[in-house]
Amino acid sequence: MNAVSMNNLWCYLQGLSLTASNRRWLAERLTEPLEKEKTQIPPVLQTLEEAMSDLDESEKEFELGDVVSGDDFNLECQALLDSFATKSCK
């Protein structure tokens, strides 16, 4: 979910008249996946060969000029952040 959707969900939840029991139930449902993640085996990292292949591909893209300057990157990031700006919950 993006920041706007998360903010809207939070506003919606705050507008509900939840009892302590309801809140506890909701909290348990929200944290269940986190507990399951703790018991799962972590993902396998890239092999050295895969990492070197990715590096070679990136270098080829750089040589072809398929890059973004630091200033352009910062402008794109700021525009993305600005697009997520939302009004606070009332």
Side-chain angles (χ1 to χ4, degrees), residues 13 18 20 25 27 29 33 40-41 43 46 48 52 54 60 62 64 67 70 73 76 83 86 88:
L13 291 172
L18 299 175
W25 179 90
R29 298 294 93 59
Q40 291 180 350
I41 299 171
Q46 281 186 314
L48 178 60
M52 293 305 291
D54 285 351
K60 287 176 187 173
F62 179 78
L64 293 172
V67 295
F73 178 77
E76 289 177 22
S83 73
T86 61
S88 61

Side-chain angles (χ1 to χ4, degrees), residues 18-31:
L18 299 175
T19 64
S21 174
N22 295 149
R23 289 175 185 269
R24 193 170 13 267
W25 179 90
L26 181 59
E28 288 171 3
R29 298 294 93 59
L30 291 172
T31 58

Side-chain angles (χ1 to χ4, degrees), residues 2-5 7-8 78-88:
N2 64 35
V4 173
S5 297
N7 191 48
N8 289 338
Q78 188 60 53
L80 182 62
L81 289 171
D82 291 344
S83 73
F84 289 130
T86 61
K87 297 177 183 175
S88 61

Side-chain angles (χ1 to χ4, degrees), residues 67-81:
V67 295
V68 176
S69 73
D71 290 338
D72 288 343
F73 178 77
N74 289 339
L75 288 173
E76 289 177 22
C77 287
Q78 188 60 53
L80 182 62
L81 289 171

